[in-house]
Amino acid sequence: LEITKDSQKAIALEGFQNRVKVFDLQTGEKLSEFMRGEHGDAIFSFALHPDEKRIITAAGDGTMFLRDLETGEVLHAFTGSQGGIMDIEISPDGDSVIAVSFEGELLLWDVETGNLLRKFQEHEGVVMDVEFSPDGQYAFSAGNDGQIIQWQVAQQPLEEVVEWVHNNRVFRDLTPEECQQFDLQHLCEESTGGEQEGDQS
């Protein structure tokens, strides 16, 4: 069940019937209903897009579709999933959707294209639930292995990645002799800020 931001509509899923219904919350009237056979198994999850004009449905056979909320028309499919989908969540900006699978994977897609962007795997067993952080930088997954895992899902600027690698590396700088031996003088120049060979602080 999902409710629109203006609290006027509720979208309900009848997963084993592959049916989605939209209700007026003020009157209780059913505004629309669609039942589609594109999924080969029960729909386990759906997510309302922030534009509130589209939804994504995901099923136990690994199929996922972006749909028009009013008509149920499939706009495109999401490719790359190898197993059943337990839960999905759309990022706060609406640009990406993340899903968790029976195989313990997290899969991140581009909403507009349906292309798979990244895969993550750390859980041992089925992942039951996934949520984005409010800023969309992270996702949190909960599995039946008892773990809750935080994932970096937003792309980081290259400068931040380089800084992280530099601050977290486990190997020392090469000596000038090692750079010369392995023909890696450019690494010595970078690590010493352009100092003369042999003049390392």
Side-chain angles (χ1 to χ4, degrees):
L1 180 69
E2 294 227 20
I3 296 175
T4 56
K5 290 188 287 285
D6 61 8
S7 298
Q8 297 299 306
K9 296 178 183 177
I11 301 97
L13 169 67
E14 294 180 354
F16 290 104
Q17 286 74 39
N18 285 2
R19 181 162 44 217
V20 175
K21 298 179 179 179
V22 182
F23 295 92
D24 185 307
L25 281 177
Q26 305 306 312
T27 66
E29 175 188 3
K30 183 173 66 177
L31 301 176
S32 62
E33 173 182 339
F34 57 88
M35 183 174 179
R36 299 292 185 184
E38 293 89 359
H39 293 293
D41 199 348
I43 301 173
F44 282 105
S45 184
F46 81 95
L48 177 65
H49 192 275
D51 66 13
E52 300 193 336
K53 296 179 180 178
R54 297 173 291 171
I55 63 170
I56 298 173
T57 55
D61 61 353
T63 54
M64 282 178 51
F65 299 104
L66 180 70
R67 302 175 182 273
D68 181 281
L69 177 60
E70 186 175 345
T71 66
E73 175 189 358
V74 171
L75 304 176
H76 64 68
F78 294 85
T79 60
S81 173
Q82 300 298 313
I85 302 297
M86 282 297 295
D87 188 40
I88 60 174
E89 181 81 6
I90 298 177
S91 61
D93 61 11
D95 290 342
S96 56
V97 57
I98 196 163
V100 291
S101 77
F102 296 170
E103 283 72 31
E105 292 181 323
L106 279 78
L107 304 104
L108 184 71
W109 283 273
D110 182 284
V111 167
E112 299 303 327
T113 66
N115 294 332
L116 184 64
L117 301 175
R118 296 173 67 186
K119 282 187 178 183
F120 311 86
Q121 187 157 20
E122 188 69 28
H123 287 283
E124 299 177 1
V126 178
V127 189
M128 306 299 294
D129 191 28
V130 64
E131 296 286 340
F132 272 101
S133 61
D135 61 7
Q137 297 292 307
Y138 304 96
F140 296 83
S141 61
N144 64 4
D145 56 1
Q147 295 190 87
I148 297 175
I149 300 177
Q150 178 181 355
W151 309 87
Q152 170 78 45
V153 293
Q155 291 187 349
Q156 292 177 283
L158 179 59
E159 297 78 13
E160 292 184 11
V161 176
V162 172
E163 181 182 3
W164 185 92
V165 171
H166 179 75
N167 293 334
N168 292 275
R169 62 184 178 170
V170 296
F171 298 104
R172 61 170 173 77
D173 288 333
L174 296 176
T175 66
E177 292 76 17
E178 289 169 334
C179 286
Q180 186 172 6
Q181 178 185 353
F182 299 107
D183 194 23
L184 298 171
Q185 287 86 348
H186 62 287
L187 294 182
C188 284
E189 292 170 2
E190 291 175 2
S191 64
T192 61
E195 297 173 2
Q196 295 295 320
E197 187 176 21
D199 182 21
Q200 290 193 11
S201 54

